[in-house]
Amino acid sequence: MSIVLSEQELQRRQALTALEQLGINPYPANAFEINATASDILENYERDKLNYKNIRIAGRMMSRRVMGSASFIELQDATGRVQAYLKRDDLCPDEDKTLYNTVFKKLLDIGDFIGITGFVFTTNTGEISIHVQELTLLAKSLKPLPVVKSADGKTFDAVTDPEFRYRQRYVDLVINPQVRDTFAKVSKVKTSIRDFLNERGALEVDTPVLQPIPGGAAARPFITHHNALDIPLYLRIANELYLKRLIVGGYDWVYEFSRNFRNEGMDRTHNPEFTVLEFYVAYKDYLWMMEITEKLFEHVALATNGNTTLQVGDQEINFAAPYPRVSIYDAIKEHTGFEVDGMDEGGLRDVCKQLGIPTTESMGKGKLIDEIFGEQCEHHYIQPTFIIDYPVEMSPLTKKHRSKADLVERFELMVNGKELANAYSELNDPIDQRIRFEEQLKLMERGDDEAMFVDYDFLRALEYGMPPTAGIGIGIDRLAMLMTNQQSIQDVLFFPQMRPEKGVKHAGLEDYKAQGIPEEWIPVLQKMGFNTIETLKAANPNKVFNDLGGLRKKMKLDIPMPTKEEVLKWFE
RNA sequence: GACUCCGUAGCUCAGCUGGUAGAGCAACUGACUCUUAAUCAGUGGGUCCAGAGUUCGAAUCUCUGCGGGGUCACCA
């Protein structure tokens, strides 16, 4: 990040000083009470004109069109943009026209926060506008915003560079209104889920993010260290085992929006931290869970988009309940022609070979079936579909199927070719659970670095008894992507993970001062490209002295020129 | 992690087969009392991502690095 200021930044800082000299505080402490918003005015003025005679509104000045003694600006607040009209002699009824001629025309810039009072009217060209009677600077903006213009629904010079947008999301939000809309919808997805669950008596809870054993999922965790306890701690990869402990404790419906952390690759659908909604309900099974899940998704679609059918990319997806249920074996049979039900590990390995799916020695039966489904079937399920009844090997926390051998009572909800939710009748048999954990240990020994750790406290909890329970995890970021029709997880997270910005190497102010350089000349040297003391010392002192004079004139700097002897000392 | 594309003014982008940079918006000076991508006249603004190499000469060619996007691998 450069500390060297651009021409426009210098101009804005000069405007800041000029404002202070006029007795105007560019960052006043006073509250500015408003009684209207942009969208309120645009929506309601026409049918209720009397109520808009005396309005107060605040926001950023986003454009300025000056025509001598009258001007139009666009004011942007949290709700949108409204045009305002300023007339010199209305704004400054007395002799002194400084507020209009100097403050407004010269010292305000695009991006500044201002508050205005006035009355609403309609211009000759038919645009609802505010006739400004008073103008107050609320906060000066020192960095120029990208200027995005639009007309007739077309947008010009929009900032689309993903790096710019994600690193400086605050700017993205200011200049790209549809981004604010997207995040409002993301928020609506979460509140609509909370409403749905709270109405049904569920209890929202918080469980540890820092866990001594990263349990509840198969994934590589982030590891950290607690100094006082002198133990390693893991950032949670899931909260499942903690929520089930709460069911043991006697709650019958708990949920948590769990920020999870997984130390794995990043791409369009993966961020190192992401949010999963999990909920657990006592005395229910996975069949009940499918019914509540399809109702929940229908509810979320209606709450966020007002419709159960929505456009996602080039697909139209209908979230209206109910959704079809297909067993994983039937899915594989339908899309590959292979009947894998009852096959042993060797047979599955052979099927993978025929389908061209690479396998490794560490893959067990469950993993092989998972691979076949993932490669050959998953992408076919565009409309919401429950894939049910998974093999026991890939589901160590799931209750065995009530009627089908070697299967568990589990479903995944597939939408748009991707897994959106994962749920099951929870395994509550502590002896079986211990055996399943031990099988995971064996997988770990075979080299599966995602096999689960054994959580003995969780086993102890199950030994006290857990009622039959249905549980589910829903990927909230991916759900938000669907509901907002975004192609990248980065567009539903305010601050997606990025490699840290590396500033160009710069000497600090103290380094310059240590060379005996007066503070006011430091920006000039930086402007000349001497960002380190080393590069300065490598330069020709005579040339530097001459250039200082040149820049002093060019930048119209009102600071005394140092003598040549003084400058020569900088090089010692 | 692999492959691939990209990095030029505050922003959006030009810049051919090498001759050290242009446009629009933004900014500055001026004109203009209902404009709306306001208009008109004029002016300034650049470590062309960084470093090395080839060359008389590099924004341009080569290599290395940094940052980002896309595809794949891993995963949710």
Side-chain angles (χ1 to χ4, degrees), chain A residues 9-36:
Chain A
E9 287 173 300
L10 287 170
Q11 282 165 357
R12 286 181 180 223
R13 270 157 218 255
Q14 282 159 13
L16 190 79
T17 312
L19 284 164
E20 283 165 343
Q21 281 163 0
L22 284 171
I24 296 169
N25 181 354
Y27 302 103
N30 317 48
F32 186 88
E33 295 297 332
I34 61 161
N35 61 15

Side-chain angles (χ1 to χ4, degrees), chain A residues 162-177:
Chain A
E163 183 170 5
F164 188 110
R165 292 186 47 232
Y166 301 148
R167 282 197 197 282
Q168 301 187 56
R169 179 70 89 185
Y170 35 89
V171 177
D172 188 33
L173 290 164
V174 171
I175 61 179
N176 290 324

Side-chain angles (χ1 to χ4, degrees), chain A residues 65-267:
Chain A
R65 295 183 287 275
V66 180
M67 283 149 297
S69 60
S71 301
F72 286 93
I73 62 167
E74 280 178 289
L75 188 76
Q76 174 170 295
D77 68 9
T79 67
R81 286 191 188 187
V82 63
Q83 180 173 266
Y85 173 70
L86 295 93
K87 198 170 166 185
R88 189 227 290 143
D89 297 334
D90 290 355
L91 197 63
C92 313
D94 303 329
E95 282 299 299
D96 182 7
K97 308 296 183 191
T98 308
L99 178 61
Y100 182 82
N101 287 339
T102 307
V103 175
F104 169 71
K105 277 170 71 175
K106 304 280 184 208
L107 302 180
L108 288 194
D109 288 292
I110 288 176
D112 288 353
F113 281 95
I114 55 173
I116 58 179
T117 64
F119 57 89
V120 181
F121 73 111
T122 306
T123 64
N124 290 343
T125 46
E127 179 158 348
I128 295 172
S129 308
I130 304 162
H131 192 118
V132 180
Q133 293 164 311
E134 284 175 48
L135 172 71
T136 314
L137 174 62
L138 300 179
K140 182 98 190 112
S141 161
L142 293 181
K143 283 184 92 67
L145 282 173
V147 175
V148 180
K149 298 199 175 190
S150 57
D152 306 325
K154 273 181 287 187
T155 302
F156 302 87
D157 301 333
V159 176
T160 53
D161 175 21
E163 183 170 5
F164 188 110
R165 292 186 47 232
Y166 301 148
R167 282 197 197 282
Q168 301 187 56
R169 179 70 89 185
Y170 35 89
V171 177
D172 188 33
L173 290 164
V174 171
I175 61 179
N176 290 324
Q178 72 284 4
V179 176
R180 281 199 303 277
D181 296 344
T182 296
F183 283 103
K185 257 190 194 180
V186 170
S187 174
K188 189 78 193 160
V189 167
K190 293 177 197 164
T191 52
S192 66
I193 292 173
R194 282 199 169 91
D195 292 345
F196 182 93
L197 294 173
N198 290 343
E199 267 169 30
R200 286 162 176 76
L203 181 73
E204 181 167 13
V205 299
D206 282 296
T207 65
V209 174
L210 289 173
Q211 302 180 349
I213 295 168
R220 284 203 294 278
F222 286 94
I223 186 164
T224 184
H225 184 265
H226 191 282
N227 290 340
L229 296 176
D230 192 24
I231 51 164
L233 284 174
Y234 300 87
L235 273 65
R236 71 175 163 202
I237 55 173
N239 60 349
E240 165 158 0
L241 302 185
Y242 283 92
L243 292 186
K244 284 199 261 196
R245 284 171 170 99
L246 295 180
I247 297 293
V248 169
Y251 294 110
D252 60 8
W253 192 339
V254 290
Y255 74 93
E256 178 175 15
F257 282 89
S258 172
R259 186 68 68 92
N260 295 344
F261 306 83
R262 298 192 184 175
N263 205 341
E264 286 158 354
M266 294 164 60
D267 62 24

Side-chain angles (χ1 to χ4, degrees), chain A residues 358-389:
Chain A
T359 59
T360 65
E361 261 314 297
S362 69
M363 288 178 175
K365 204 173 143 185
K367 187 82 180 161
L368 290 167
I369 289 170
D370 193 36
E371 283 294 314
I372 296 168
F373 180 80
E375 285 289 319
Q376 301 286 323
C377 312
E378 195 172 71
H379 59 276
H380 291 291
Y381 296 99
I382 302 301
Q383 298 304 321
T385 306
F386 292 118
I387 303 298
I388 65 170
D389 297 343

Side-chain angles (χ1 to χ4, degrees), chain A residues 55 81 124 319 466:
Chain A
I55 62 123
R81 286 191 188 187
N124 290 343
F319 281 95
M466 183 173 86

